[in-house]
Structures are given as structure tokens and as C-alpha cells.
Amino acid sequence: MNKTLLLVCVILWAAPKVKAQTEVANDSVQLEEVVVRGARVINRTDGKLIFPSEEMTRSASSGYTLLKMLPLPNIKVDDVSESISPANPLAGAVQVRINDVPATTSDMRSLQAREVEKVEFIDRPGVRYGEGVGMVINIITRTLTNGYVLGAGGTLLPRTFMTKGNAYAKLNSGKNELSLNYAGSYSHSNGLSFVERTDYLMADHTRHKAERSTDDVTQRDNGHDIQARYSLIDAKGTTFLTTFATSIANSPQDYKKAHVTYSDGSRDAHETTDSKEQVISPLLDLYLKTRIGQRQSIIANAMGAYTHTDYSYLLTTPKASFGYHTLGKAWSLKSEAVYENRLKPFTLSAGLRYAQKYIDNNYTGDASLVSQIHASDLYAFSQIQGSLWKIGYMVGLGLSREYYRQGETTYDHLWLRPKLNLSLPLSKSLRIDYTLTSSPASSKLQNMSGMSIMTNEMEYTEGNPNFIMERLDEHTLSLSLQSTRLYTQLMNFYRHNAHPAMQHVYRTDDNRFVKTFIEGRRIDFNMLQSYTNYDILPRHLNASLSAMMLNIWNDGQDYSHHLTSFNFEFGLTAWLGRWTIMASLDNGFHFMENEYESRNILSNYINVSYRLKRLTASLFCLNLFRRNGKVEEVENHNRLAHKLLVTTNRGTSNAIGIKLTWTLSKGREFKGVERDIDSLKDRDTGVAKSGH
């Protein structure tokens, strides 16, 4: 770490004395311009600047469809499920922005492709974008005329009894915009089952084995999201947004009946679990962005939210029953101020973030407890971005204060959070990049309640009120090559988790097994990945392949586990005029954390869509030719209570679904500015729940 800080200081001293090369957006250095799939692509030290072709903006039915067409390396865009994720699941989240403001799913649905002027793709984001962000997609829109946008969409997957829909409206008048969004969903499980095999090591060193077979499963969920927003933009670039949103997530029934068989023949019985939950979370968000001259800008926002959780749980066994009811309440405040100055040698950004949360959970029944948590986070950061000779750089340094109090337990600590990005072009099409990130990560609130919950006749889960902080040090080294039709990248990613919260299992005197979380020694993993994207027929047929080898080390207080896995994913996309065909094949991600090893099963996906004026219809199929419906295996390698859980879902095998999207719009007068509400929502009340 000392070497890293020395390097940061050297670059901070040298950068102001060096003039940047050709300036483009974000003061990055322009390396080479190519045409890929008809789109103009400018390679930069921090990523790419992409100008969609007229054909793309004319044929895309939504923001998701447009991003699917663009040459975005290491990005997976599914415009049917409306998701954007990295090809590398360990690379961090993909943050999507519209005009440099984070965007929600509703924003992407209502975005008209013809409004898009360019897309900034940043694959080495700085500290200003927040923790856990691996890539940023910033969509810059054109100025349009007065008008409106209306739209609606729906998805139906009959075999799984899953349906979701949305509707939105935006009205522009002069400098003002008023918008309203609604989204709803409903699902009812069909064909879900579990088989759990557990091997217990008893106090007398004998083995006690149990198999729990769960075929009688009923899960029902429904949700509603409503968002209303007013925005004002003046000619000088000042933007003001105020947003009110509320979400209702309702799970009226989660019932499972397990047939339990013991290997010693002591008993053949049934266990049932029945839970229900309702979460209501309203919030109010205020956002302001203003320019000071041509090169400076200030962003400020504040968000207040309240979350109410009503949760009930009942476990019934032949010997006893265990049940409790929880009323959880959480109040949270988040605020941020960011200053940016585009100086000639580099761009300077600095900011301050503050978050505070109060949680009050009241448990009644067999688990009686009042849990009150006070937590706050103060984070100050600064970064510079520019170029030194041919090397593009971003140097960022953050300082955070983490505070936590629950009962007599308190935690108050300062953390240093440096980040460094370096980029060196070896030729017009070849580039090498390096990224270093160091940051803290805290315990999950639901593991800190101090509650002891019975999960079956033999097992309990127990919270640990002690606040456990781990440090994440990440190193990424990549070599990439891009031509008109080919993009390929070879990357090595290493993460070191020092002193994380890890599983710990102990046995009681009466042969019960209690799972809790304590401070472990380390969780490390090293990943070697190869990603290739190739246009077989430019503008018509594209193929992508991602392959990785992953090594993971988990060292707790009383165990060590190592895993080596191999994963691949193949994708094919065809654009045939009004028709779009997508297909993918994934062998299933194989991962291990703590003592839990998870293996996802081979899956495939096919989607065919057709666009007719304002209507787009899609027909898709999940997991063709699969019979048993197995979706996942999770194995707990604990020496006292070894467990294998196999999950099957016949409803997602050979499942066929449909999706319809309709839009009606007229040009708007100014750039559409969207404020991220999904990322602001804080629905975590820290309620302790049962689970495997």
C-alpha cells in the first residue's frame, strides 16, 4: 500500500506540469477512430465514445435495444428481461446514466433511440461513481422539440405463472417536464422443489444423516412501483429534479413442506415452514446540477426514505414449533455534493457524501427482541484524470468514516480508499490497462441482529451484533485489441478480502448446530478471462464468447477451502430488418464463498422479436430440451454439518414466453434528464430471516 501511495503522489506532482493530448469528453486522450457495426467508435484512455448509426436509432424500440446493437465490450444486454450486466460477474456493477445522471429501468424503457446522440462507455470509472461500479454507460441525448412520450409493455411466462407490465408518460412544455411511471409484477411458483442432504457430526463422533425432500411448495409474490417526477432545465445548463416514488413488495405466502428421512431409521416425519412479508418504501429525492462558466459544474442531491417491513415466520416439526413476527422500520438519509473542473492539463473532481440510517426492529413470539441500529457513513473524495506522455491516468483518493452502534456495541473507524487507473496504447488498435482499487466493506445488517432463529429441528442461525469490516484490494491487468469487426480482451483480475465476515458453525451440548458469522482470515480469488466479440456479417450477425478460469481461496477461523472452476458463455445476435434473433448458451457459473459452493446448471436462451411501427413483439424460450429442471446445486462444506441442496424448477424448462412493447411519441424540446431512484431505494431494515 505504501508503494501505491508513493505512485499516487508522483502522478499528482507531475500531472499539472504536462499538457494533455487531444481533448475529448472527460478530457480523455483520443487514440483511434474506427467504424464498428456502422457506428463510429473513438477509443479513449478511459473507454470508448460511440456514435450510433442512423439505422440503429431508427430500428431500436427502446434504450435496451439500442445498447444491444452497440459495440459495448464485456457488456451483456438483455432487452427482453431488461437487464444490463458485465460479461465478467466479478467485474463490478454496470452503472447506466442518461446525460451523466444514473438511470432506472423505467428511464431506459421510455428512452427514444432517435434522441441518442452518443454513448460514453467508461470501463475504468473513477471514485466519483461510487463503490462496486465496474463500468459506466453514459447516454448523451439530443435536444428535441416540444412533445410527449407514451408507452406500455408487458411480459408473460405462462408455465411459471409470471407476468409483469409497465406504463409511462412524459410531457414536455418549455423548460419543464412532468413524468409518471408505473410497473407491476406477479408470480406464482409452479414446479419448484428442493432436495437437501445433511451429514451431522454428533458430540460422540457418530454421524447422523438426514434427507429433506420438498415437493409441496407454494410461493406467491406481487409488487408495485410508482414514480412521479418534475424536472426543470434552463438554457444555461442548470437542472433541477424532484422525484417521489413508492414501492410495495408483497409475498403473501411462502410455504414449504419437507419429508424428512433419517439414515438411522429413528424417525420419518414432516417439517413445514410458512412465511409472509410485506415491504412498503416511499422516498423523496431532490437533485440539482449547475454549471459555473464553461469548465466547472456542481452537483448536489438529497434523498430521504422510509421502509416498513411486516414479516412472519413459522416452523413446525414433529417435536416442536418455532415462530415469530417482526415489525421492521428504517429511516435513511443520503446526500451528496460533487464539484468538477475541466482544467487544461487534467480534470479535477472532488466531492462529499453522507449517509445516515436508523433501524428499529421489534421481534415477538418465540424470538423476542428489540433491535435498534444507528449507522452513518461520511465519505470525502478527490480525483484527477488526464494524460502523462502516452499514458492516460486517473488517480483518486477517498477517506471514509464508518460509524455503527447497536446496544452496547459500537464501531467508529476511518478508512483510506485509493484508486488508480493507467492506460497505455501500444498501437492504434492494441492497448494495455491496469487498475488498482482499495476499499472497505461492512457486514450485512441481517447478520447483525443478535437473533437466534430455528431453521429446522437440528439447526439454528444466530446473528452477531459485532460490526465486521473487511478491506477489498483489487488489481486488474488487461490487454485489448479492436478492429472494425473484432474486439478481443485478455484480462487477469485478483481480489484480496482481508478479515471478512465468514460463516462459523458450532455444536451445542444437546447436539444442535448453530450458524453465525465471525471475522475470518481471508477470501481471495484470481480470475483469468478471455472475451471476444466478432461481427460475422457486419450490421447483421454478431457472435461473442467469454471464457474464464477462476481460483478461490476461503480461509475462516477453523477451515480452509479452495476451488478451481471453468466457465464459458456463447452468444449470437442477428439483425434482419424488422426481425431480431438472439441466442445464448451458458455452462453455469461455479463459485465458492465462505464454505458455500454454488453450481449453476447449463442454460440456454432464445429470443425472436419483430418490430412493426410503434409495436414490438417478442417470443422467447428458456432452457430448451431440459427435462429434470435442475437449476442449482449449493454445497456447504462445513465439517460439523455438511449439506448439499439441489434446487429444481420444472417451470423454467422448455418455458415459452411473450413480450409486447408499444410507444407513441413526439419530439421533446430538451435533453431528457433522468434521476436514479432504484439505486437510492434503501429497503434493508436488517430483519433477520430464516434461510439455507
Side-chain angles (χ1 to χ4, degrees):
M1 185 59 65
N2 292 333
K3 294 181 179 179
T4 301
L5 292 177
L6 178 61
L7 181 59
V8 169
C9 293
V10 170
I11 295 179
L12 283 170
W13 173 83
K17 298 173 172 51
V18 181
K19 291 186 178 180
Q21 299 179 23
T22 306
E23 291 185 34
V24 292
N26 287 337
D27 291 310
S28 296
V29 180
Q30 180 175 335
L31 302 179
E32 177 68 8
E33 180 176 334
V34 293
V35 178
V36 182
R37 304 182 202 169
R40 278 200 311 130
V41 179
I42 299 175
N43 291 316
R44 308 186 320 189
T45 55
D46 66 340
K48 302 177 185 298
L49 188 63
I50 304 172
F51 294 84
S53 66
E54 184 178 345
E55 179 183 7
M56 290 177 175
T57 58
R58 185 175 60 250
S59 59
S61 59
S62 69
Y64 288 103
T65 309
L66 179 62
L67 293 184
K68 180 73 176 178
M69 296 177 177
L70 294 178
L72 297 170
N74 281 309
I75 295 291
K76 297 192 298 183
V77 180
D78 187 343
D79 57 345
V80 173
S81 63
E82 297 177 332
S83 64
I84 302 173
S85 58
N88 167 22
L90 305 177
V94 179
Q95 187 180 98
V96 181
R97 294 176 168 238
I98 299 178
N99 296 317
D100 204 32
V101 181
T104 67
T105 300
S106 297
D107 302 332
M108 292 298 294
R109 292 190 191 112
S110 59
L111 177 67
Q112 303 301 289
R114 62 187 179 86
E115 300 177 24
V116 178
E117 177 187 358
K118 58 187 175 182
V119 174
E120 292 180 320
F121 175 63
I122 305 171
D123 55 6
R124 284 167 303 284
V127 292
R128 61 159 294 192
Y129 293 104
E131 296 300 325
V133 178
M135 287 171 278
V136 175
I137 299 173
N138 186 26
I139 302 171
I140 308 299
T141 64
R142 295 186 178 94
T143 299
L144 302 176
T145 60
N146 252 342
Y148 60 85
V149 176
L150 301 174
T155 302
L156 175 64
L157 197 59
R159 190 166 183 180
T160 59
F161 294 99
M162 186 276 288
T163 181
K164 61 180 181 179
N166 69 281
Y168 58 87
K170 291 185 179 182
L171 177 63
N172 298 341
S173 178
K175 301 177 181 180
N176 308 284
E177 180 178 271
L178 183 64
S179 65
L180 183 65
N181 290 272
Y182 168 79
S185 63
Y186 173 81
S187 64
H188 188 170
S189 67
N190 181 28
L192 190 66
S193 62
F194 310 91
V195 176
E196 179 186 274
R197 300 180 180 91
T198 309
D199 186 353
Y200 301 103
L201 178 61
M202 312 301 281
D204 59 0
H205 301 290
T206 61
R207 294 284 180 180
H208 184 68
K209 298 183 180 181
E211 178 176 298
R212 293 175 174 84
S213 179
T214 307
D215 291 320
D216 189 356
V217 179
T218 302
Q219 289 182 338
R220 291 189 292 125
D221 300 279
N222 61 79
H224 307 272
D225 290 278
I226 302 173
Q227 176 182 297
R229 172 184 295 146
Y230 166 75
S231 60
L232 171 67
I233 304 177
D234 65 20
K236 297 180 180 180
T238 297
T239 302
F240 172 73
L241 295 89
T242 178
T243 305
F244 175 77
T246 186
S247 298
I248 302 174
N250 189 27
S251 301
Q253 187 175 27
D254 186 353
Y255 174 83
K256 301 181 183 68
K257 183 177 181 180
H259 179 77
V260 186
T261 304
Y262 296 95
S263 59
D264 58 6
S266 59
R267 185 166 59 259
D268 190 0
H270 290 92
E271 291 178 353
T272 64
T273 60
D274 194 359
S275 65
K276 60 182 180 179
E277 181 181 23
Q278 185 180 63
V279 180
I280 302 175
S281 9
L283 68 83
L284 177 64
D285 176 63
L286 302 175
Y287 174 89
L288 175 67
K289 179 178 181 180
T290 185
R291 292 180 182 177
I292 306 174
Q294 295 296 319
R295 292 183 173 272
Q296 301 179 76
S297 64
I298 294 177
I299 296 175
N301 82 274
M303 184 277 297
Y306 168 75
T307 302
H308 182 273
T309 301
D310 189 340
Y311 178 76
S312 298
Y313 171 76
L314 176 63
L315 167 68
T316 304
T317 72
K319 288 187 175 181
S321 64
F322 177 89
Y324 67 95
H325 176 248
T326 307
L327 285 178
K329 301 175 183 179
W331 294 264
S332 59
L333 171 68
K334 295 181 180 180
S335 59
E336 177 185 48
V338 179
Y339 168 77
E340 183 175 274
N341 192 342
R342 296 175 182 268
L343 302 170
K344 288 186 177 180
F346 56 83
T347 294
L348 170 67
S349 300
L352 187 68
R353 298 190 185 113
Y354 177 73
Q356 183 169 330
K357 189 167 188 176
Y358 171 68
I359 294 175
D360 184 7
N361 291 331
N362 187 8
Y363 298 85
T364 57
D366 294 323
S368 181
L369 177 70
V370 176
S371 175
Q372 295 180 332
I373 298 175
H374 296 79
S376 66
D377 178 16
L378 179 64
Y379 176 51
F381 71 88
S382 180
Q383 72 174 46
I384 60 171
Q385 180 175 331
S387 64
L388 180 65
W389 186 55
K390 291 184 178 180
I391 300 176
Y393 66 85
M394 190 290 302
V395 180
L397 193 61
L399 183 66
S400 66
R401 178 199 179 224
E402 305 281 347
Y403 174 80
Y404 164 83
R405 176 167 59 88
Q406 181 179 196
E408 300 299 322
T409 303
T410 60
Y411 177 91
D412 194 348
H413 193 75
L414 292 175
W415 291 86
L416 195 64
R417 303 162 73 165
K419 186 167 187 177
L420 172 68
N421 294 335
L422 298 174
S423 179
L424 174 64
L426 302 178
S427 68
K428 292 183 177 181
S429 56
L430 190 64
R431 187 178 73 184
I432 187 170
D433 301 289
Y434 170 74
T435 298
L436 164 68
T437 303
S438 183
S439 62
S442 62
S443 303
K444 295 181 179 179
L445 293 177
Q446 61 265 33
N447 297 328
M448 299 166 57
S449 65
M451 282 278 297
S452 182
I453 299 174
M454 184 179 182
T455 55
N456 60 51
E457 195 173 59
M458 300 286 293
E459 300 175 44
Y460 286 82
T461 60
E462 185 175 79
N464 181 359
N466 293 314
F467 195 73
I468 300 174
M469 290 291 291
E470 62 180 301
R471 176 167 286 281
L472 306 179
D473 294 323
E474 299 178 345
H475 303 265
T476 305
L477 181 65
S478 62
L479 180 67
S480 57
L481 172 69
Q482 177 169 311
S483 64
T484 302
R485 298 173 62 179
L486 173 69
Y487 177 86
T488 184
Q489 181 187 73
L490 184 64
M491 178 176 65
N492 189 79
F493 176 78
Y494 174 74
R495 175 186 289 174
H496 173 61
N497 299 29
H499 309 295
M502 301 185 70
Q503 172 186 266
H504 174 68
V505 177
Y506 66 91
R507 182 181 53 224
T508 63
D509 294 337
D510 59 348
N511 279 322
R512 297 294 185 266
F513 297 84
V514 182
K515 182 185 76 172
T516 186
F517 285 87
I518 63 174
E519 184 179 296
R521 290 178 288 169
R522 65 160 184 163
I523 300 177
D524 289 359
F525 51 79
N526 187 75
M527 182 197 67
L528 182 64
Q529 182 197 27
S530 173
Y531 174 83
T532 300
N533 191 298
Y534 181 68
D535 284 330
I536 301 173
L537 296 174
R539 307 188 190 185
H540 293 291
L541 184 61
N542 174 264
S544 64
L545 175 64
S546 176
M548 69 177 70
M549 181 180 73
L550 185 63
N551 280 284
I552 308 174
W553 296 267
N554 294 269
D555 293 333
Q557 291 293 342
D558 56 354
Y559 58 83
S560 292
H561 300 293
H562 173 250
L563 173 70
T564 299
S565 66
F566 299 90
N567 305 103
F568 75 86
E569 181 178 5
F570 175 73
L572 198 65
T573 303
W575 297 277
L576 307 172
R578 297 182 181 273
W579 294 89
T580 301
I581 303 173
M582 295 184 296
S584 64
L585 179 67
D586 191 333
N587 76 325
F589 194 55
H590 189 179
F591 192 70
M592 188 175 193
E593 188 172 21
N594 291 286
E595 295 191 280
Y596 285 90
E597 178 184 359
S598 62
R599 296 180 289 268
N600 294 324
I601 309 303
L602 180 74
S603 63
N604 59 75
Y605 169 78
I606 297 175
N607 173 64
V608 179
S609 63
Y610 179 77
R611 178 181 55 84
L612 180 61
K613 295 182 179 179
R614 300 183 180 93
L615 180 68
T616 301
S618 301
L619 182 69
F620 58 94
C621 184
L622 304 174
N623 300 318
L624 279 171
F625 315 117
R626 177 181 291 179
R627 294 182 179 180
N628 59 10
K630 183 189 292 186
V631 294
E632 186 183 31
E633 294 181 354
V634 178
E635 186 171 3
N636 186 349
H637 291 274
N638 184 261
R639 66 181 185 86
L640 297 178
H642 182 274
K643 183 181 298 185
L644 176 64
L645 174 66
V646 180
T647 303
T648 59
N649 190 349
R650 292 182 299 275
T652 58
S653 297
N654 296 303
I656 298 176
I658 58 174
K659 178 180 180 180
L660 297 175
T661 303
W662 172 85
T663 59
L664 176 63
S665 65
K666 186 177 181 180
R668 293 180 293 174
E669 183 174 343
F670 53 82
K671 296 181 179 181
V673 177
E674 311 298 344
R675 179 68 183 137
D676 177 20
I677 296 302
D678 289 343
S679 66
L680 294 176
K681 290 175 181 175
D682 191 352
R683 303 171 186 168
D684 185 5
T685 55
V687 172
K689 302 173 186 177
S690 65
H692 295 283

